[in-house]
Amino acid sequence: MQWIDLRSDTVTQPTPAMRIAMMNAAVGDDVYGDDSSVNELERFAAETLGFEAALFVPTGTFGNQLALFTHCERGDEVILGEDTHIVWHEVGGAAVIAGVNLRPVPTHNGVLDAEQVRRRIRPEGDIHLPRTSLICMENAHSSGRVIPLAAMQEVWETAKSAGLKVHLDGARVFNAATHLGVDVKQITQYADSVMCCLSKGLAAPIGSILAGDTAFIATARKKRKLLGGGWRQAGVLAAPAMLALTEMTQRLGDDHKNAQYLAGQLASLPDVRVCTDQLQINMVFFKICKEIDEARLLACLNECGIKSNGTEDGQWRFVCHWQIGKEEIDKVIAAMKVALAAA
């Protein structure tokens, strides 16, 4: 069966061109700095994202946690949105790896309020207080929303006035740039470091990028080794990752258009309400406004060759990617009609 997988854009398979690139990649031991494919990927990623240097890491969570581990000392405090990926979906890694305290701030649809951030920056001189060392932002947000540049700038200026660093969880930063119609550097200019994921909508099989200044990346490289992230012949992964950055970033608009089409089709179904205020990238959030047997609906979709996650906080989420086009969406809608009737 050819599955239609709506669970996430992490399920993307490598493109045919990526598989060829993997087979033909030049490789070497990256711990020794000998892998030319990795070296070129890191050089190109740094240039693309607007930083001095970059580091190829296994996952987005690895990249975010490595950033905290590099920016902070144990016992420090990190200010960030209460609904961010670092808070919700990284297994409490900040406490285990960097040994830092997270100080979450309520957001408005994922947007950090600069004044709320300012109020939570710890004053110096009181031996009872932890040291605030880092502020984290996320764009695009995991809610499917894109954070306006003006809001990022306000948080950035608040951080700089307090002498603090800013890390950007940019797992889907190229989706954010696509939605805003800007070069990605216009987003990353408001961060001292950024993590971007290559294995979500960009379809690389493995890997994320952590970028920052030269000194930051030199320290992060050593700490990556400490965490067991030293690559050997990693060129077989860097080669498709390069295609993710050079080719797949250019087609993200297709995923966004497909998400809009999917949203419109879902909205035409009885008892389905699409969350249109979360429809800015490749994700469609919606609610089913009647009592259903969720397990039965999922089973019906599965029987039709469609994979979906269940609800989270009452919401369903379908995610578009390069393997979900209009033909697949039409099949999903036909299956949803049957599943809603059966559930």
Side-chain angles (χ1 to χ4, degrees):
M1 181 183 292
Q2 185 65 44
W3 289 94
I4 298 173
D5 199 334
L6 302 169
R7 292 173 297 175
S8 177
D9 47 9
T10 62
V11 303
T12 49
Q13 298 289 307
T15 65
M18 287 179 174
R19 294 178 186 274
I20 293 170
M22 293 173 76
M23 180 174 64
N24 296 324
V27 300
D29 191 320
D30 181 53
V31 173
Y32 286 114
D34 291 342
D35 195 303
S36 59
S37 296
V38 174
N39 294 342
E40 176 59 16
L41 171 67
E42 292 176 343
R43 184 204 64 77
F44 182 78
E47 178 184 313
T48 300
L49 293 165
F51 290 90
E52 292 178 350
L55 187 64
F56 189 35
V57 298
T59 69
T61 295
F62 194 115
N64 279 336
Q65 294 302 323
L66 181 58
L68 270 59
F69 192 26
T70 304
H71 279 302
C72 305
E73 297 178 5
R74 299 185 73 81
D76 283 355
E77 194 163 72
V78 177
I79 299 172
L80 72 179
E82 66 180 4
D83 49 3
T84 57
H85 194 276
I86 291 174
V87 172
W88 274 93
H89 296 296
E90 299 192 4
V91 207
V96 176
I97 298 168
V100 297
N101 181 53
L102 300 182
R103 193 170 192 193
V105 180
T107 71
H108 177 67
N109 294 334
V111 178
L112 274 173
D113 179 78
E115 177 59 23
Q116 293 294 321
V117 170
R118 186 193 65 78
R119 292 177 183 176
R120 286 166 174 78
I121 296 172
R122 301 286 190 173
E124 296 182 2
D126 188 332
I127 63 172
H128 301 88
L129 301 179
R131 181 183 72 128
T132 304
S133 61
L134 185 65
I135 296 171
C136 293
M137 291 189 278
E138 183 175 323
N139 206 6
H141 199 269
S142 56
S143 65
R145 298 182 177 98
V146 173
I147 308 305
L149 293 179
M152 293 188 68
Q153 181 179 359
E154 289 179 3
V155 173
W156 166 258
E157 290 173 352
T158 297
K160 294 300 105 177
S161 66
L164 300 178
K165 299 290 186 180
V166 174
H167 172 67
L168 174 63
D169 177 353
R172 296 183 177 90
V173 70
F174 288 99
N175 291 91
T178 297
H179 173 76
L180 293 171
V182 301
D183 186 281
V184 71
K185 295 186 189 72
Q186 292 190 46
I187 300 175
T188 60
Q189 68 178 314
Y190 300 122
D192 296 287
S193 63
V194 61
M195 182 283 295
C196 74
C197 188
L198 307 176
S199 64
K200 288 189 169 73
L202 302 184
I206 292 174
S208 292
I209 291 292
L210 179 63
D213 65 30
T214 302
F216 172 82
I217 293 299
T219 303
R221 188 176 297 275
K222 183 170 184 178
K223 293 194 173 186
R224 182 189 68 169
K225 176 65 175 172
L226 182 154
L227 296 174
W231 304 101
R232 297 303 177 180
Q233 285 68 39
V236 293
L237 300 175
M242 180 66 84
L243 291 178
L245 284 176
T246 56
E247 295 184 3
M248 300 302 283
T249 54
Q250 305 305 306
R251 57 153 309 281
L252 289 176
D254 295 339
D255 294 340
H256 295 192
K257 290 176 183 176
N258 286 331
Q260 294 283 339
Y261 176 70
L262 172 58
Q265 296 300 105
L266 283 168
S268 71
L269 299 178
D271 301 308
V272 172
R273 181 172 66 82
V274 173
C275 303
T276 55
D277 63 336
Q278 295 176 245
L279 188 58
Q280 295 185 319
I281 53 172
N282 60 324
M283 301 176 178
V284 181
F285 292 84
F286 63 96
K287 294 182 179 181
I288 297 175
C289 303
K290 69 172 185 177
E291 291 294 327
I292 63 165
D293 183 332
E294 183 174 314
R296 185 170 176 79
L297 188 146
L298 288 169
C300 288
L301 291 178
N302 194 74
E303 290 170 5
C304 295
I306 297 166
K307 294 183 180 181
S308 169
N309 288 324
T311 57
E312 182 172 336
D313 196 25
Q315 285 186 322
W316 295 82
R317 185 187 78 167
F318 287 171
V319 183
C320 293
H321 47 82
W322 80 272
Q323 292 169 290
I324 304 292
K326 186 174 183 294
E327 180 181 350
E328 287 75 24
I329 291 170
D330 289 341
K331 291 179 180 177
V332 168
I333 296 303
M336 279 292 291
K337 291 178 181 177
V338 174
L340 284 168

